[in-house]
Amino acid sequence: MVLTPVSPPPSTPPSTPPSAPSSPVVAAAVVCVLSCDTRDPSQAGQETFPVPERQINGRRLVLHVSDRDGMAWGSIDNGRTGDSVWLDRSWDGGATWEGLLGRASIPGAWTGTRTLMYNVTDPGHHRRGLIRACGDAAAVVCTGWIYPTVCDVLCDRTSASQANGATQPVPPTTLFGRVIRLQTDLNGMAWGTIEAGGPGDEVWLDRSWDGGASWPGGASLGRVSTPASATSSRTAMFATRDPRGRHFGGAVRACGREAAHQEGSCTAWARPVPTRARAAADALLYSYDPYTAWWPTSWWNSATTLTAVMDSGIRDYDWVIARTFDVNRVPFPAGQRSSDPVEGDFISRSIDDSAWWGLTWVAAYDHTGDRRYLTMATTIATYVHQYWDTRTCGGGVWWDRERTYKNAVTNGQYLRLTAAIHRRTPGDSMWLQRARTAADWYLASGMVGSAGLVNDGLTGDCRNNGQTVWTYNQGLAIGGFVEVWRATGDARYLDTARRLADSAIASPVLTRGGVLTESCDVGSAVCDDNQKQFKGIFMRFLNDLARATGSAGYRQYAQRQADSVWAADRDALNRIGQRWAGGTPNQVDWRTQASGLNAVTS
């Protein structure tokens, strides 16, 4: 039993503070989401008025909001010289606030003015905000706060009678014989129950946007008491995702108190599981930085992670595609996105890094139909093709600009990319010929060993180097040959993809106990940041082969991976680790999360 101090009942955020606020006012720090604080309102993507305007001695006080930008600004009109307007922003539900943000006074001969724009919430730092406009015209008046109620499929305080199913993501807690349970449904809503008790017992929810580290503004939600003659009670439902504020993967717990004691007890924190893919993707989006528009701090991993998000098929995340594209298409000096400079259009000296982004923008084109993504993918493919070199080993793409190594990853990417560009470019023949040439060269290169497994690359004298069989090299070859088959209709390429998949499934090197296993998953080994994402890439392309062939065997293998990940390698916050069969030492970060998302997305 865990006993904790009882959370006090939440107070209602004041809508009209006195001229000298009684609540503490905290200093403001600049917040950057899609833009940084103090953006000019003339650049707003939209203008809405979600709360009523207020009157101050005949002046109009208005709060303006652009949900598209996630920002707000205030204005005062019909005023006099010296009247002022500003914003207050709160990170704890209105208990305290950053005051006087963007304060502006009406200059001489004018009758109104406005503030600059400020971000409403801060998903990059996992803080959900409220904001209001305030004005001073011989009296201080404020509008209501936006947005005190969180809405997703349903809104906060919806009756639990409207739940779409019910699951208990974590074990209940007990307190003086009472049982306190956290319940969630398929809409990502949560509520708490207290059972086996008596009148006066209380139950409530706490909600956190930072995985349970803190819960300002989210304490004691829906707090209710068990009525007379009853032995149980439940809260209303509360949302755990805030799409308007770009908060994903909110965590909740249920807490309770027995009537005769002050101590409380809470369940563990959990995130709901609407579907496996949704739950895994929400946990992954938690690590996305919307301002810098990537998953810090891995460049190529961010490309494959964005592809995993698109593969999930969840449209709520489509804004991430455009955001990542728009912010990252420009040049970056060494150290900002990669140890190498990024030269614009996602191109760098690392040919494989560039090709990952090319494959990502093909996926973005397929997902959205926006041709700018296909144009970018073609630009990147053209760059990669510059490193196809018949003077060494009769062909193949170099791994880096210095032409030091011909390996499986770069040539698997080239297979997939050339065939994909052809299939999406009406009237093309050039990329088709490149895809055929690349596929035939790959088959003759010797990179595929006698057991049907892809080794890492070729020696200087163009022989199989016998280096580690990595799952992603196997997967890229499968995906490459599937796409070349689609482009050409030549059955031998699809047969090759089948042989590579069958070899991986049967191999004790890549599959142990029926579960896909990297060499760094074994014993006391650990995987580096690159290797953490390899298995997910394999699953992406195995699933593609399963769709192309309709094979029940491949679907069953994929389902086995999904089931193992969910049962053995996931915690209550839906965080997925490196070892899909479970065990230690295990590693958990956004890279392993992206890989796991590929495993649970069919």
Side-chain angles (χ1 to χ4, degrees), residues 515-570:
V515 179
L516 191 64
T517 304
E518 209 68 68
S519 59
C520 53
D521 292 346
V522 179
S524 60
V526 294
C527 299
D528 67 26
D529 284 347
N530 292 322
Q531 296 155 3
K532 290 173 182 176
Q533 218 157 342
F534 286 178
K535 295 198 299 287
I537 294 166
F538 176 91
M539 291 307 305
R540 178 189 179 202
F541 293 119
L542 182 73
N543 282 325
D544 190 36
L545 177 62
R547 288 189 293 270
T549 61
S551 167
Y554 298 147
R555 287 197 297 267
Q556 289 167 4
Y557 182 85
Q559 188 64 50
R560 190 178 307 124
Q561 310 317 303
D563 291 344
S564 185
V565 164
W566 215 247
D569 196 25
R570 175 185 64 99

Side-chain angles (χ1 to χ4, degrees), residues 341-362:
V342 177
E343 298 161 7
D345 292 336
F346 304 89
I347 286 169
S348 69
R349 60 168 287 278
S350 297
I351 312 306
D352 59 332
D353 285 8
S354 304
W356 283 124
W357 283 105
L359 292 172
T360 294
W361 299 127
V362 169

Side-chain angles (χ1 to χ4, degrees), residues 62-125:
V62 181
L63 179 64
H64 311 251
V65 179
S66 172
D67 287 330
R68 190 172 300 161
D69 301 294
M71 305 185 85
W73 66 102
S75 67
I76 190 169
D77 292 296
N78 302 330
R80 301 175 183 173
T81 302
D83 293 347
S84 61
V85 61
W86 66 89
L87 298 176
D88 288 341
R89 182 169 60 192
S90 175
W91 303 111
D92 55 11
T96 63
W97 53 87
E98 302 168 333
L100 305 179
L101 298 181
R103 181 168 183 160
S105 296
I106 297 177
W110 290 30
T111 60
T113 191
R114 64 186 181 185
T115 71
L116 296 174
M117 298 169 69
Y118 284 78
N119 281 289
V120 178
T121 61
D122 185 13
H125 294 91

